[in-house]
Amino acid sequence: MISILLNNLLRTTPRLAASFYQRPSAVGCRCDLALVISIGRKIWAIPEGYIPGQSHGPAPAMTSHEACCILNASEKSAHVTITIFFEDSNPAGPYQFEIPAKRTRHLRLNNFKKPRAIPRDTPYSSLIESDVPIVVQHTRLDSRQAENALLSTMAFPCD
Amino acid sequence: MISILLNNLLRTTPRLAASFYQRPSAVGCRCDLALVISIGRKIWAIPEGYIPGQSHGPAPAMTSHEACCILNASEKSAHVTITIFFEDSNPAGPYQFEIPAKRTRHLRLNNFKKPRAIPRDTPYSSLIESDVPIVVQHTRLDSRQAENALLSTMAFPCD
Amino acid sequence: MISILLNNLLRTTPRLAASFYQRPSAVGCRCDLALVISIGRKIWAIPEGYIPGQSHGPAPAMTSHEACCILNASEKSAHVTITIFFEDSNPAGPYQFEIPAKRTRHLRLNNFKKPRAIPRDTPYSSLIESDVPIVVQHTRLDSRQAENALLSTMAFPCD
Amino acid sequence: MISILLNNLLRTTPRLAASFYQRPSAVGCRCDLALVISIGRKIWAIPEGYIPGQSHGPAPAMTSHEACCILNASEKSAHVTITIFFEDSNPAGPYQFEIPAKRTRHLRLNNFKKPRAIPRDTPYSSLIESDVPIVVQHTRLDSRQAENALLSTMAFPCD
């Protein structure tokens, strides 16, 4: 029982699984976690979200935008689903993307089209779910005024 | 005893509870954590806080402000209490908000009124407490000069 | 033995101690962790550090500066020691500060004087240590050009 | 078996090892973790990466650039390997650096030359690996327009 509890404890926290060798158990459980460090997590949240409706400067580089930057350092293609939450209406989505193994994608949320575009000048939040571990960072370029402003933060890992 | 310890260990770390199935225990404890991943935490801190007293540009979009962006991805309404800490006086609050299930709120700290407004041009910190898991991000738009500047960071999860 | 291991495990991770009740142990160890959630950690690192040597705009608000924003939400006064690391010389410090219980301090690193000022236009890093849990955020205002720019991030908790 | 599991659990999470004294084990394993707090982690990821191809202002201070700021607070020299991931091509690297004990390095990714320069105006991600614990922060200065903009975030710890 204790081994099962510990095994579950390790299974639920990918970081703890690192350097954990495959080994037979003396008390009858299977500790089959391989010696692999997962780069990232599978569920990420970004509470801040706001696509300015105005821009200065040449498109698309200086267009006001938000980016959801995703690193898939794993050996498998990542199938990513993004859900958008609003203040006064039901969540929108799923927005679906595939990120190949050993690749990054800098998804511009202002370019999301299916199932529908994200409205401008509207507060929102994002929830990002993947079938393989990824790392997610959030960046905004705001060019409403003549000189652009930037913000960025790592998303919050939820699993 | 060991099961109780482990059970408490799991209970105190919501992330560890993920994918932990409801099961009877072989040694007499109840491991009743359901297979639910909580999106976020219940206690968050933001050490940085400063509402610039001046602004350029059209209100309210370009008014200098700080936002406490909260995602409640849960199935329950979140009752959120914010306490404001200062350098030279007692904490202010509680500032209370309700965030419906599956919604976000981008609270502007410069609009807080009850129990009292947060003074301008004054360093402060925020502590955010909720009865259900949430995710919190902190953003400032500073338009004291002609061109706005932005900063943002995820708040720090304390539980 | 197992209880001792688990007890140490809990003792070393303040977050895990939350909601852990004082209880006598069935196997002879003392699990004396109280039902208190510590707000923050005791050791924090900020790898980025750079105080621009030039500024535009009225001092001190618009002077280029870096701030180490600290929240002490505990019931005890925090004694904080900051060490500054450089690229090509030995660390400087200790810089010492006291932050009263239930207070914040937004320390401006460009104002540090003892044991010596932090040089301008020089890359550095900070290590912040406290005797009670605190939360630390790093912010820079860069006003080398006419319009100020801002950056901010939570420091990294090391314990 | 249980001790081995716990020992591995502790070994894989450096933070948990803090304040864990060297002790003989009552059940035959060696718990040889010393009373040392490691400052940081060994594997870090930065999903966001973009070196603007244009700049305003005097070089090198105001040249658009990205910095990977690394603190090595340990007693040992850190051998750091950086891998760069792209959207449409294989990863580049390894970029190798040595950071002496008790030193910081603010590596400018726009100065990386071997094995090859990082292309401008191209989305990328970074994976940073070290043989001793370090702390990593990511900063960009964007001076494509007349007034510079800044962003910064702590990198994501993967081990």
Side-chain angles (χ1 to χ4, degrees), chain A residues 8 12-13 41 47-49 86-87 89-90 123-125 144-147 150 152-154 159, chain B residues 10 15-16 18-20 37 62 69 103-106 135 137 139 141 146-148 150 152 154:
Chain A
N8 272 286
T12 56
T13 52
R41 307 284 184 86
E48 168 69 287
F86 299 102
E87 293 195 315
S89 57
N90 285 333
Y124 68 91
S125 297
R144 287 176 292 184
Q145 294 185 314
E147 309 301 337
L150 290 171
S152 187
T153 186
M154 206 60 64
D159 59 337
Chain B
L10 289 165
R15 286 194 296 128
L16 298 185
S19 79
F20 206 79
I37 291 181
M62 302 312 290
C69 303
R103 292 290 185 274
T104 183
R105 286 286 299 278
H106 292 204
V135 188
Q137 187 173 345
T139 300
L141 185 149
E147 309 301 337
N148 65 310
L150 291 171
S152 188
M154 206 59 64

mmCIF file of all heavy atoms in Angstrom, chain A residues 8 12-13 41 47-49 86-87 89-90 123-125 144-147 150 152-154 159, chain B residues 10 15-16 18-20 37 62 69 103-106 135 137 139 141 146-148 150 152 154:
data_model
loop_
_atom_site.group_PDB
_atom_site.id
_atom_site.type_symbol
_atom_site.label_atom_id
_atom_site.label_comp_id
_atom_site.label_asym_id
_atom_site.label_seq_id
_atom_site.Cartn_x
_atom_site.Cartn_y
_atom_site.Cartn_z
ATOM 1 N N ASN A 8 2.208 6.468 -6.795
ATOM 2 C CA ASN A 8 1.266 7.448 -7.317
ATOM 3 C C ASN A 8 1.787 8.860 -7.103
ATOM 4 O O ASN A 8 1.654 9.722 -7.964
ATOM 5 C CB ASN A 8 -0.093 7.288 -6.628
ATOM 6 C CG ASN A 8 -0.971 6.281 -7.334
ATOM 7 O OD1 ASN A 8 -1.496 6.573 -8.389
ATOM 8 N ND2 ASN A 8 -1.085 5.094 -6.775
ATOM 9 N N THR A 12 2.403 11.385 -10.240
ATOM 10 C CA THR A 12 1.635 12.617 -10.434
ATOM 11 C C THR A 12 2.526 13.848 -10.514
ATOM 12 O O THR A 12 2.054 14.913 -10.838
ATOM 13 C CB THR A 12 0.633 12.817 -9.288
ATOM 14 O OG1 THR A 12 1.365 12.809 -8.057
ATOM 15 C CG2 THR A 12 -0.403 11.711 -9.290
ATOM 16 N N THR A 13 3.780 13.719 -10.172
ATOM 17 C CA THR A 13 4.666 14.875 -10.245
ATOM 18 C C THR A 13 5.831 14.533 -11.149
ATOM 19 O O THR A 13 6.804 13.936 -10.718
ATOM 20 C CB THR A 13 5.203 15.244 -8.841
ATOM 21 O OG1 THR A 13 5.759 14.057 -8.276
ATOM 22 C CG2 THR A 13 4.123 15.784 -7.963
ATOM 23 N N ARG A 41 5.199 20.855 -18.371
ATOM 24 C CA ARG A 41 3.964 20.320 -17.797
ATOM 25 C C ARG A 41 2.909 20.241 -18.896
ATOM 26 O O ARG A 41 3.122 20.723 -20.011
ATOM 27 C CB ARG A 41 3.460 21.233 -16.670
ATOM 28 C CG ARG A 41 4.493 21.533 -15.584
ATOM 29 C CD ARG A 41 4.717 20.390 -14.635
ATOM 30 N NE ARG A 41 5.640 20.814 -13.581
ATOM 31 C CZ ARG A 41 5.271 21.431 -12.466
ATOM 32 N NH1 ARG A 41 3.977 21.644 -12.229
ATOM 33 N NH2 ARG A 41 6.168 21.807 -11.570
ATOM 34 N N PRO A 47 -3.790 34.043 -16.695
ATOM 35 C CA PRO A 47 -4.966 34.837 -16.304
ATOM 36 C C PRO A 47 -5.107 36.142 -17.100
ATOM 37 O O PRO A 47 -6.214 36.579 -17.386
ATOM 38 C CB PRO A 47 -4.714 35.137 -14.817
ATOM 39 C CG PRO A 47 -3.738 34.090 -14.373
ATOM 40 C CD PRO A 47 -2.878 33.815 -15.571
ATOM 41 N N GLU A 48 -3.989 36.772 -17.417
ATOM 42 C CA GLU A 48 -4.007 38.044 -18.136
ATOM 43 C C GLU A 48 -4.193 37.783 -19.622
ATOM 44 O O GLU A 48 -3.574 36.862 -20.186
ATOM 45 C CB GLU A 48 -2.688 38.774 -17.884
ATOM 46 C CG GLU A 48 -2.402 39.973 -18.752
ATOM 47 C CD GLU A 48 -3.285 41.166 -18.488
ATOM 48 O OE1 GLU A 48 -4.475 41.093 -18.881
ATOM 49 O OE2 GLU A 48 -2.800 42.153 -17.924
ATOM 50 N N GLY A 49 -5.034 38.563 -20.265
ATOM 51 C CA GLY A 49 -5.202 38.486 -21.696
ATOM 52 C C GLY A 49 -5.959 39.716 -22.166
ATOM 53 O O GLY A 49 -6.996 40.069 -21.588
ATOM 54 N N PHE A 86 -13.804 34.414 -20.419
ATOM 55 C CA PHE A 86 -14.167 35.831 -20.438
ATOM 56 C C PHE A 86 -14.778 36.273 -19.105
ATOM 57 O O PHE A 86 -15.023 35.445 -18.228
ATOM 58 C CB PHE A 86 -15.154 36.090 -21.579
ATOM 59 C CG PHE A 86 -14.600 35.767 -22.932
ATOM 60 C CD1 PHE A 86 -14.948 34.594 -23.587
ATOM 61 C CD2 PHE A 86 -13.700 36.622 -23.554
ATOM 62 C CE1 PHE A 86 -14.431 34.279 -24.825
ATOM 63 C CE2 PHE A 86 -13.171 36.315 -24.798
ATOM 64 C CZ PHE A 86 -13.533 35.144 -25.434
ATOM 65 N N GLU A 87 -15.037 37.579 -18.991
ATOM 66 C CA GLU A 87 -15.637 38.090 -17.756
ATOM 67 C C GLU A 87 -17.138 37.852 -17.726
ATOM 68 O O GLU A 87 -17.716 37.620 -16.659
ATOM 69 C CB GLU A 87 -15.332 39.587 -17.607
ATOM 70 C CG GLU A 87 -13.852 39.873 -17.368
ATOM 71 C CD GLU A 87 -13.607 41.289 -16.868
ATOM 72 O OE1 GLU A 87 -14.198 42.232 -17.438
ATOM 73 O OE2 GLU A 87 -12.828 41.458 -15.925
ATOM 74 N N SER A 89 -19.125 35.997 -20.348
ATOM 75 C CA SER A 89 -19.738 35.024 -21.250
ATOM 76 C C SER A 89 -19.036 33.683 -21.122
ATOM 77 O O SER A 89 -17.969 33.585 -20.505
ATOM 78 C CB SER A 89 -19.693 35.516 -22.696
ATOM 79 O OG SER A 89 -18.356 35.772 -23.073
ATOM 80 N N ASN A 90 -19.623 32.675 -21.719
ATOM 81 C CA ASN A 90 -19.066 31.327 -21.598
ATOM 82 C C ASN A 90 -17.708 31.214 -22.287
ATOM 83 O O ASN A 90 -17.412 31.969 -23.218
ATOM 84 C CB ASN A 90 -20.036 30.308 -22.202
ATOM 85 C CG ASN A 90 -21.233 30.065 -21.288
ATOM 86 O OD1 ASN A 90 -21.137 30.231 -20.064
ATOM 87 N ND2 ASN A 90 -22.358 29.700 -21.875
ATOM 88 N N PRO A 123 -11.016 41.876 -21.788
ATOM 89 C CA PRO A 123 -10.217 41.040 -20.889
ATOM 90 C C PRO A 123 -10.554 39.558 -21.058
ATOM 91 O O PRO A 123 -11.728 39.196 -21.160
ATOM 92 C CB PRO A 123 -10.615 41.519 -19.486
ATOM 93 C CG PRO A 123 -11.171 42.891 -19.699
ATOM 94 C CD PRO A 123 -11.843 42.850 -21.046
ATOM 95 N N TYR A 124 -9.523 38.724 -21.098
ATOM 96 C CA TYR A 124 -9.746 37.280 -21.165
ATOM 97 C C TYR A 124 -8.617 36.547 -20.449
ATOM 98 O O TYR A 124 -7.625 37.162 -20.039
ATOM 99 C CB TYR A 124 -9.880 36.803 -22.614
ATOM 100 C CG TYR A 124 -8.632 36.894 -23.450
ATOM 101 C CD1 TYR A 124 -7.756 35.822 -23.530
ATOM 102 C CD2 TYR A 124 -8.317 38.032 -24.171
ATOM 103 C CE1 TYR A 124 -6.599 35.890 -24.300
ATOM 104 C CE2 TYR A 124 -7.172 38.102 -24.933
ATOM 105 C CZ TYR A 124 -6.308 37.025 -24.993
ATOM 106 O OH TYR A 124 -5.169 37.102 -25.749
ATOM 107 N N SER A 125 -8.785 35.245 -20.279
ATOM 108 C CA SER A 125 -7.746 34.364 -19.738
ATOM 109 C C SER A 125 -7.625 33.148 -20.645
ATOM 110 O O SER A 125 -8.549 32.841 -21.397
ATOM 111 C CB SER A 125 -8.097 33.883 -18.321
ATOM 112 O OG SER A 125 -8.177 34.942 -17.412
ATOM 113 N N ARG A 144 -0.540 50.648 -29.094
ATOM 114 C CA ARG A 144 -1.622 51.628 -29.198
ATOM 115 C C ARG A 144 -1.073 53.045 -29.281
ATOM 116 O O ARG A 144 -1.619 53.909 -29.952
ATOM 117 C CB ARG A 144 -2.553 51.506 -27.985
ATOM 118 C CG ARG A 144 -3.435 50.274 -28.017
ATOM 119 C CD ARG A 144 -4.258 50.162 -26.764
ATOM 120 N NE ARG A 144 -3.418 49.876 -25.604
ATOM 121 C CZ ARG A 144 -3.868 49.657 -24.384
ATOM 122 N NH1 ARG A 144 -5.187 49.713 -24.149
ATOM 123 N NH2 ARG A 144 -3.066 49.395 -23.381
ATOM 124 N N GLN A 145 0.013 53.276 -28.556
ATOM 125 C CA GLN A 145 0.656 54.582 -28.649
ATOM 126 C C GLN A 145 1.841 54.468 -29.606
ATOM 127 O O GLN A 145 2.155 53.384 -30.098
ATOM 128 C CB GLN A 145 1.072 55.032 -27.248
ATOM 129 C CG GLN A 145 -0.182 55.267 -26.377
ATOM 130 C CD GLN A 145 0.142 55.828 -25.017
ATOM 131 O OE1 GLN A 145 1.038 55.348 -24.348
ATOM 132 N NE2 GLN A 145 -0.606 56.826 -24.597
ATOM 133 N N ALA A 146 2.497 55.613 -29.891
ATOM 134 C CA ALA A 146 3.514 55.626 -30.941
ATOM 135 C C ALA A 146 4.658 54.660 -30.645
ATOM 136 O O ALA A 146 5.223 54.051 -31.556
ATOM 137 C CB ALA A 146 4.050 57.044 -31.112
ATOM 138 N N GLU A 147 4.993 54.512 -29.360
ATOM 139 C CA GLU A 147 6.118 53.640 -29.003
ATOM 140 C C GLU A 147 5.568 52.385 -28.344
ATOM 141 O O GLU A 147 4.750 52.450 -27.444
ATOM 142 C CB GLU A 147 7.065 54.388 -28.042
ATOM 143 C CG GLU A 147 7.478 55.770 -28.547
ATOM 144 C CD GLU A 147 8.187 55.737 -29.885
ATOM 145 O OE1 GLU A 147 8.746 54.689 -30.222
ATOM 146 O OE2 GLU A 147 8.174 56.764 -30.582
ATOM 147 N N LEU A 150 6.042 46.313 -23.988
ATOM 148 C CA LEU A 150 6.081 44.855 -23.951
ATOM 149 C C LEU A 150 5.826 44.362 -22.531
ATOM 150 O O LEU A 150 6.224 45.004 -21.554
ATOM 151 C CB LEU A 150 7.461 44.331 -24.369
ATOM 152 C CG LEU A 150 7.890 44.477 -25.822
ATOM 153 C CD1 LEU A 150 9.354 44.089 -25.962
ATOM 154 C CD2 LEU A 150 7.030 43.601 -26.720
ATOM 155 N N SER A 152 5.840 40.279 -20.473
ATOM 156 C CA SER A 152 5.951 38.833 -20.627
ATOM 157 C C SER A 152 6.021 38.172 -19.265
ATOM 158 O O SER A 152 6.532 38.752 -18.305
ATOM 159 C CB SER A 152 7.207 38.464 -21.431
ATOM 160 O OG SER A 152 7.218 37.077 -21.712
ATOM 161 N N THR A 153 5.489 36.971 -19.173
ATOM 162 C CA THR A 153 5.629 36.161 -17.966
ATOM 163 C C THR A 153 5.495 34.700 -18.341
ATOM 164 O O THR A 153 4.857 34.368 -19.353
ATOM 165 C CB THR A 153 4.576 36.522 -16.906
ATOM 166 O OG1 THR A 153 4.862 35.787 -15.707
ATOM 167 C CG2 THR A 153 3.170 36.149 -17.344
ATOM 168 N N MET A 154 6.123 33.843 -17.558
ATOM 169 C CA MET A 154 5.886 32.421 -17.720
ATOM 170 C C MET A 154 4.425 32.165 -17.346
ATOM 171 O O MET A 154 3.894 32.790 -16.426
ATOM 172 C CB MET A 154 6.816 31.638 -16.793
ATOM 173 C CG MET A 154 7.134 30.243 -17.244
ATOM 174 S SD MET A 154 7.939 30.131 -18.851
ATOM 175 C CE MET A 154 9.501 30.969 -18.575
ATOM 176 N N ASP A 159 -0.509 21.354 -13.459
ATOM 177 C CA ASP A 159 -0.477 19.934 -13.098
ATOM 178 C C ASP A 159 0.830 19.601 -12.393
ATOM 179 O O ASP A 159 1.662 20.478 -12.166
ATOM 180 C CB ASP A 159 -0.666 19.052 -14.336
ATOM 181 C CG ASP A 159 0.418 19.294 -15.380
ATOM 182 O OD1 ASP A 159 1.030 20.387 -15.387
ATOM 183 O OD2 ASP A 159 0.645 18.409 -16.195
ATOM 184 N N LEU B 10 -0.402 14.452 0.638
ATOM 185 C CA LEU B 10 -1.120 14.636 -0.621
ATOM 186 C C LEU B 10 -2.206 15.697 -0.486
ATOM 187 O O LEU B 10 -2.421 16.503 -1.381
ATOM 188 C CB LEU B 10 -1.733 13.308 -1.052
ATOM 189 C CG LEU B 10 -0.714 12.275 -1.537
ATOM 190 C CD1 LEU B 10 -1.351 10.911 -1.576
ATOM 191 C CD2 LEU B 10 -0.189 12.676 -2.893
ATOM 192 N N ARG B 15 -1.629 19.866 -6.303
ATOM 193 C CA ARG B 15 -1.111 19.325 -7.543
ATOM 194 C C ARG B 15 -0.833 17.834 -7.447
ATOM 195 O O ARG B 15 -1.022 17.088 -8.384
ATOM 196 C CB ARG B 15 0.160 20.051 -7.954
ATOM 197 C CG ARG B 15 -0.109 21.445 -8.486
ATOM 198 C CD ARG B 15 1.113 21.982 -9.176
ATOM 199 N NE ARG B 15 2.199 22.142 -8.240
ATOM 200 C CZ ARG B 15 3.423 21.658 -8.405
ATOM 201 N NH1 ARG B 15 3.702 20.966 -9.470
ATOM 202 N NH2 ARG B 15 4.363 21.885 -7.519
ATOM 203 N N LEU B 16 -0.365 17.425 -6.265
ATOM 204 C CA LEU B 16 -0.059 16.014 -6.104
ATOM 205 C C LEU B 16 -1.320 15.164 -6.146
ATOM 206 O O LEU B 16 -1.259 13.965 -6.373
ATOM 207 C CB LEU B 16 0.672 15.774 -4.783
ATOM 208 C CG LEU B 16 2.017 16.461 -4.637
ATOM 209 C CD1 LEU B 16 2.674 16.039 -3.338
ATOM 210 C CD2 LEU B 16 2.930 16.120 -5.793
ATOM 211 N N ALA B 18 -3.638 15.312 -8.248
ATOM 212 C CA ALA B 18 -4.096 15.046 -9.609
ATOM 213 C C ALA B 18 -3.886 13.593 -9.977
ATOM 214 O O ALA B 18 -2.876 12.997 -9.648
ATOM 215 C CB ALA B 18 -3.355 15.949 -10.585
ATOM 216 N N SER B 19 -4.831 13.019 -10.636
ATOM 217 C CA SER B 19 -4.817 11.638 -11.122
ATOM 218 C C SER B 19 -4.745 10.629 -9.990
ATOM 219 O O SER B 19 -4.366 9.489 -10.192
ATOM 220 C CB SER B 19 -3.669 11.396 -12.112
ATOM 221 O OG SER B 19 -2.457 11.226 -11.449
ATOM 222 N N PHE B 20 -5.082 11.069 -8.789
ATOM 223 C CA PHE B 20 -5.071 10.167 -7.650
ATOM 224 C C PHE B 20 -6.479 9.619 -7.458
ATOM 225 O O PHE B 20 -7.387 10.332 -7.073
ATOM 226 C CB PHE B 20 -4.611 10.917 -6.397
ATOM 227 C CG PHE B 20 -3.989 10.014 -5.379
ATOM 228 C CD1 PHE B 20 -2.688 9.583 -5.539
ATOM 229 C CD2 PHE B 20 -4.705 9.572 -4.294
ATOM 230 C CE1 PHE B 20 -2.102 8.747 -4.609
ATOM 231 C CE2 PHE B 20 -4.122 8.744 -3.358
ATOM 232 C CZ PHE B 20 -2.830 8.317 -3.517
ATOM 233 N N ILE B 37 -7.995 17.681 -11.394
ATOM 234 C CA ILE B 37 -6.860 18.587 -11.355
ATOM 235 C C ILE B 37 -7.388 19.977 -11.028
ATOM 236 O O ILE B 37 -8.223 20.519 -11.739
ATOM 237 C CB ILE B 37 -6.100 18.591 -12.688
ATOM 238 C CG1 ILE B 37 -5.400 17.251 -12.886
ATOM 239 C CG2 ILE B 37 -5.098 19.734 -12.734
ATOM 240 C CD1 ILE B 37 -4.601 17.150 -14.153
ATOM 241 N N MET B 62 -6.008 54.088 -21.176
ATOM 242 C CA MET B 62 -4.616 54.493 -21.003
ATOM 243 C C MET B 62 -4.358 55.155 -19.648
ATOM 244 O O MET B 62 -3.282 55.725 -19.430
ATOM 245 C CB MET B 62 -4.206 55.435 -22.135
ATOM 246 C CG MET B 62 -4.360 54.839 -23.538
ATOM 247 S SD MET B 62 -3.665 53.161 -23.725
ATOM 248 C CE MET B 62 -1.923 53.550 -23.624
ATOM 249 N N CYS B 69 -5.317 40.139 -12.324
ATOM 250 C CA CYS B 69 -6.084 39.321 -13.266
ATOM 251 C C CYS B 69 -6.268 37.924 -12.678
ATOM 252 O O CYS B 69 -5.288 37.251 -12.355
ATOM 253 C CB CYS B 69 -5.358 39.236 -14.601
ATOM 254 S SG CYS B 69 -5.016 40.850 -15.327
ATOM 255 N N ARG B 103 -15.040 31.823 -15.255
ATOM 256 C CA ARG B 103 -14.937 33.218 -15.682
ATOM 257 C C ARG B 103 -13.592 33.794 -15.256
ATOM 258 O O ARG B 103 -12.917 33.261 -14.383
ATOM 259 C CB ARG B 103 -16.054 34.064 -15.026
ATOM 260 C CG ARG B 103 -17.446 33.740 -15.500
ATOM 261 C CD ARG B 103 -17.680 34.189 -16.945
ATOM 262 N NE ARG B 103 -19.056 33.983 -17.360
ATOM 263 C CZ ARG B 103 -19.541 32.838 -17.859
ATOM 264 N NH1 ARG B 103 -18.754 31.774 -17.987
ATOM 265 N NH2 ARG B 103 -20.804 32.748 -18.233
ATOM 266 N N THR B 104 -13.215 34.915 -15.861
ATOM 267 C CA THR B 104 -12.055 35.680 -15.438
ATOM 268 C C THR B 104 -12.525 37.046 -14.938
ATOM 269 O O THR B 104 -13.631 37.502 -15.271
ATOM 270 C CB THR B 104 -11.043 35.855 -16.596
ATOM 271 O OG1 THR B 104 -9.891 36.546 -16.092
ATOM 272 C CG2 THR B 104 -11.637 36.660 -17.739
ATOM 273 N N ARG B 105 -11.717 37.657 -14.089
ATOM 274 C CA ARG B 105 -11.937 39.049 -13.711
ATOM 275 C C ARG B 105 -10.585 39.744 -13.729
ATOM 276 O O ARG B 105 -9.615 39.251 -13.169
ATOM 277 C CB ARG B 105 -12.524 39.168 -12.281
ATOM 278 C CG ARG B 105 -13.981 38.794 -12.144
ATOM 279 C CD ARG B 105 -14.938 39.838 -12.722
ATOM 280 N NE ARG B 105 -14.858 41.137 -12.088
ATOM 281 C CZ ARG B 105 -15.469 41.453 -10.944
ATOM 282 N NH1 ARG B 105 -16.198 40.560 -10.323
ATOM 283 N NH2 ARG B 105 -15.367 42.665 -10.446
ATOM 284 N N HIS B 106 -10.526 40.890 -14.407
ATOM 285 C CA HIS B 106 -9.324 41.709 -14.392
ATOM 286 C C HIS B 106 -9.603 42.889 -13.477
ATOM 287 O O HIS B 106 -10.089 43.927 -13.916
ATOM 288 C CB HIS B 106 -8.952 42.157 -15.811
ATOM 289 C CG HIS B 106 -8.490 41.036 -16.701
ATOM 290 N ND1 HIS B 106 -7.684 41.238 -17.793
ATOM 291 C CD2 HIS B 106 -8.692 39.699 -16.658
ATOM 292 C CE1 HIS B 106 -7.422 40.079 -18.389
ATOM 293 N NE2 HIS B 106 -8.029 39.139 -17.718
ATOM 294 N N VAL B 135 -6.034 31.299 -10.462
ATOM 295 C CA VAL B 135 -4.692 31.672 -10.912
ATOM 296 C C VAL B 135 -4.662 33.195 -11.017
ATOM 297 O O VAL B 135 -5.629 33.812 -11.488
ATOM 298 C CB VAL B 135 -4.331 31.032 -12.269
ATOM 299 C CG1 VAL B 135 -2.862 31.272 -12.614
ATOM 300 C CG2 VAL B 135 -4.606 29.528 -12.242
ATOM 301 N N GLN B 137 -2.467 36.851 -11.925
ATOM 302 C CA GLN B 137 -1.379 37.534 -12.631
ATOM 303 C C GLN B 137 -1.483 39.030 -12.375
ATOM 304 O O GLN B 137 -2.568 39.586 -12.273
ATOM 305 C CB GLN B 137 -1.479 37.222 -14.131
ATOM 306 C CG GLN B 137 -0.301 37.732 -14.964
ATOM 307 C CD GLN B 137 -0.370 37.250 -16.410
ATOM 308 O OE1 GLN B 137 -1.119 36.326 -16.714
ATOM 309 N NE2 GLN B 137 0.395 37.859 -17.283
ATOM 310 N N THR B 139 -0.436 42.971 -13.486
ATOM 311 C CA THR B 139 -0.035 43.803 -14.613
ATOM 312 C C THR B 139 -0.141 45.282 -14.240
ATOM 313 O O THR B 139 -1.041 45.684 -13.520
ATOM 314 C CB THR B 139 -0.929 43.517 -15.843
ATOM 315 O OG1 THR B 139 -0.790 42.149 -16.210
ATOM 316 C CG2 THR B 139 -0.555 44.385 -17.027
ATOM 317 N N LEU B 141 0.027 49.206 -16.126
ATOM 318 C CA LEU B 141 0.214 50.112 -17.250
ATOM 319 C C LEU B 141 0.573 51.472 -16.662
ATOM 320 O O LEU B 141 -0.174 52.041 -15.876
ATOM 321 C CB LEU B 141 -1.054 50.205 -18.116
ATOM 322 C CG LEU B 141 -0.926 51.051 -19.395
ATOM 323 C CD1 LEU B 141 -1.836 50.524 -20.489
ATOM 324 C CD2 LEU B 141 -1.230 52.527 -19.145
ATOM 325 N N ALA B 146 4.611 60.207 -22.000
ATOM 326 C CA ALA B 146 3.720 60.217 -23.166
ATOM 327 C C ALA B 146 3.443 58.815 -23.694
ATOM 328 O O ALA B 146 2.340 58.521 -24.155
ATOM 329 C CB ALA B 146 4.324 61.095 -24.261
ATOM 330 N N GLU B 147 4.446 57.938 -23.624
ATOM 331 C CA GLU B 147 4.288 56.584 -24.152
ATOM 332 C C GLU B 147 4.170 55.613 -22.989
ATOM 333 O O GLU B 147 4.970 55.632 -22.063
ATOM 334 C CB GLU B 147 5.490 56.231 -25.039
ATOM 335 C CG GLU B 147 5.802 57.278 -26.096
ATOM 336 C CD GLU B 147 4.661 57.559 -27.052
ATOM 337 O OE1 GLU B 147 3.794 56.683 -27.193
ATOM 338 O OE2 GLU B 147 4.626 58.655 -27.632
ATOM 339 N N ASN B 148 3.177 54.750 -23.065
ATOM 340 C CA ASN B 148 2.933 53.856 -21.928
ATOM 341 C C ASN B 148 3.983 52.754 -21.820
ATOM 342 O O ASN B 148 4.582 52.328 -22.803
ATOM 343 C CB ASN B 148 1.544 53.231 -22.030
ATOM 344 C CG ASN B 148 1.412 52.307 -23.233
ATOM 345 O OD1 ASN B 148 1.757 52.694 -24.339
ATOM 346 N ND2 ASN B 148 0.918 51.110 -22.998
ATOM 347 N N LEU B 150 4.615 48.848 -19.799
ATOM 348 C CA LEU B 150 3.871 47.726 -19.230
ATOM 349 C C LEU B 150 4.819 46.822 -18.452
ATOM 350 O O LEU B 150 5.975 46.655 -18.813
ATOM 351 C CB LEU B 150 3.237 46.870 -20.338
ATOM 352 C CG LEU B 150 2.096 47.454 -21.147
ATOM 353 C CD1 LEU B 150 1.775 46.530 -22.306
ATOM 354 C CD2 LEU B 150 0.871 47.642 -20.270
ATOM 355 N N SER B 152 4.378 42.834 -16.252
ATOM 356 C CA SER B 152 3.480 41.774 -15.802
ATOM 357 C C SER B 152 4.270 40.617 -15.243
ATOM 358 O O SER B 152 5.395 40.344 -15.675
ATOM 359 C CB SER B 152 2.588 41.280 -16.948
ATOM 360 O OG SER B 152 1.606 40.384 -16.454
ATOM 361 N N MET B 154 3.402 36.555 -13.138
ATOM 362 C CA MET B 154 2.507 35.696 -12.395
ATOM 363 C C MET B 154 2.673 36.036 -10.907
ATOM 364 O O MET B 154 3.789 36.315 -10.453
ATOM 365 C CB MET B 154 2.860 34.237 -12.653
ATOM 366 C CG MET B 154 1.733 33.256 -12.480
ATOM 367 S SD MET B 154 0.304 33.543 -13.554
ATOM 368 C CE MET B 154 0.989 33.300 -15.191
#
